[in-house]
Amino acid sequence: MEVLNYRNLGLVNTREMFKQAMQEGYAVPAYNFNNMEQLQGIIMGCAESGSPVILQVSGSARKYADPTFLPHLVTGAVKMAEALGVHIPIALHLDHGNSFELAKSCIDSGFSSVMLDGSHHPFEENAALTRQVVEYAHEHDVTVEGELGVLAGVEDEVSHEVSHYTRPEEVEEFVEKTGVDSLAISIGTSHGAHKFKVKPGEEVPPLRFDILEEIERRVPGFPIVLHGASSVEPEYVKMINAFGGKMEDAVGIPEDQLRRAAGSAVCKINIDSDGRLAMTAVIRKVFAENPAEFDPRKYLGPARDELIKMVKYKNEHVLGSAGKA
Ligand code: G3H
Ligand code: 13P
Ligand code: ZN
């Protein structure tokens, strides 16, 4: 595969992004994508709201888009932002990387940031694997995210029934041993659209801000990452169900909890499910109302428009990243 350097693609690593986010009390959005419409929706939403952005790709998403094709798709997005006349910092990040080989392959093909998710391994194994990735990544000035603690839900083909909160007492040692640039923690979020089992009218359990505060106390000023942070907007779930879908008991993280997290040491907030829901809701509506439609532009276009709207709303009203580019 062609060797590419992220700087030549117009990308940046996450170091400066996180420094500014920490100083000014907001979180940089990390939106997952798999295809052109998602990527355009994210870039346009961030360009129009003047927000820095982390474009995030899981191992399976990279396979889906094609590893050779992907960096060129991203170059297109960078050029599109430039053509809109805005200069926003853009990072390309591997989400939930599960091996040194995958992380290396991403670094060699234009990624500016990678995650090594060794959270399901014992501490020492996780630290050793993460350290190996950090050594290679830092030689190329690529930033690395590690993870301590396990989130419930699906993490790139690895499914966890139950979560294990991050143990704050392990954080200092992990950061020191590995040299990571940021750390994903588990404080009650989970992946996917079904984050909690709650009865109608019942509140979802609050995030464990006490654990986050203890981590902040132990590693002051160190960038923290929140995975599984979609809000699972009820309007989209209603729309999906109204137009032939079947999504029961879909529940996400309340926005006020995310606003509070964004104001803390949390510098990166991961959003995948919300983008999927927004696009699916619109596509279902178009098909239900126009059963004879078969032009992809007629359903992917409105879906992309909805994603732009959603991204702008999140940046402006939840993460606080709008106008920070
Ligand atoms: O955390 C996982 C992300 O939502 C990516 O999911 O493996 O289905 O692309 P994926
Ligand atoms: P959501 O499923 O809540 O969108 O989380 C996405 C995520 O953490 C990607 O790494
Ligand atoms: Zn995740």
Side-chain angles (χ1 to χ4, degrees), residues 30-32 56-58 93-96 115 145 147 151-152 154-156 189-195 225-232 251-253 268-276:
Y31 295 110
N32 289 70
Q56 193 159 264
V57 184
S58 69
H93 174 79
L94 168 67
D95 191 25
H96 294 287
M115 175 187 194
E145 175 183 325
E147 180 167 342
L151 272 71
V154 179
E155 285 191 317
D156 200 19
T189 60
S190 74
H191 288 101
H194 301 85
K195 299 192 189 298
V225 178
L226 212 55
H227 282 246
S230 279
S231 291
V232 188
V251 187
I253 311 294
K268 171 175 179 271
I269 288 188
N270 285 10
I271 298 159
D272 187 354
S273 298
D274 278 342
R276 297 180 183 196

Side-chain angles (χ1 to χ4, degrees), residues 38-256:
Q38 283 177 305
L39 178 56
Q40 289 182 338
I42 294 162
I43 280 292
M44 284 163 81
C46 289
E48 288 178 19
S49 56
S51 171
V53 63
I54 297 169
L55 301 169
Q56 193 159 264
V57 184
S58 69
S60 54
R62 182 171 180 250
K63 236 184 260 169
Y64 174 85
D66 185 82
T68 305
F69 187 80
L70 184 76
H72 300 288
L73 193 64
V74 171
T75 307
V78 171
K79 299 257 179 240
M80 190 173 72
E82 279 169 17
L84 290 171
V86 284
H87 294 281
I88 55 170
I90 303 171
L92 175 61
H93 174 79
L94 168 67
D95 191 25
H96 294 287
N98 57 4
S99 68
F100 172 77
E101 290 71 26
L102 175 60
K104 180 181 181 300
S105 165
C106 287
I107 293 164
D108 293 345
S109 64
F111 281 62
S112 62
S113 172
V114 293
M115 175 187 194
L116 191 285
D117 178 4
S119 58
H120 45 286
H121 293 304
F123 180 93
E124 291 300 338
E125 219 176 300
N126 182 4
L129 195 52
T130 307
R131 175 78 215 164
Q132 192 190 4
V133 171
V134 168
E135 276 169 14
Y136 187 75
H138 284 184
E139 278 170 28
H140 298 78
D141 204 21
V142 165
T143 38
V144 180
E145 175 183 325
E147 180 167 342
L148 267 183
V150 177
L151 272 71
V154 179
E155 285 191 317
D156 200 19
E157 293 155 2
V158 183
S159 178
H160 300 282
E161 277 293 309
V162 285
S163 66
H164 301 284
Y165 295 127
T166 305
R167 284 192 276 273
E169 61 276 17
E170 290 183 349
V171 169
E172 277 161 284
E173 190 186 338
F174 188 81
V175 167
E176 219 165 88
K177 270 194 167 157
T178 59
V180 278
D181 302 281
S182 61
L183 184 70
I185 60 165
S186 172
I187 56 166
T189 60
S190 74
H191 288 101
H194 301 85
K195 299 192 189 298
F196 306 101
K197 284 192 174 66
V198 284
K199 296 192 185 87
E202 222 175 62
E203 298 261 310
V204 302
L207 298 182
R208 291 288 305 270
F209 282 99
D210 56 320
I211 297 178
L212 173 60
E213 280 159 19
E214 180 59 16
I215 291 169
E216 285 182 284
R217 206 183 58 73
R218 287 171 181 265
V219 283
F222 190 77
I224 300 299
V225 178
L226 212 55
H227 282 246
S230 279
S231 291
V232 188
E233 178 56 53
E235 278 308 305
Y236 290 139
V237 177
K238 239 188 264 169
M239 232 169 117
I240 287 171
N241 289 334
F243 293 110
K246 199 169 186 317
M247 291 198 70
E248 280 154 12
D249 306 323
V251 187
I253 311 294
E255 286 179 359
D256 62 330

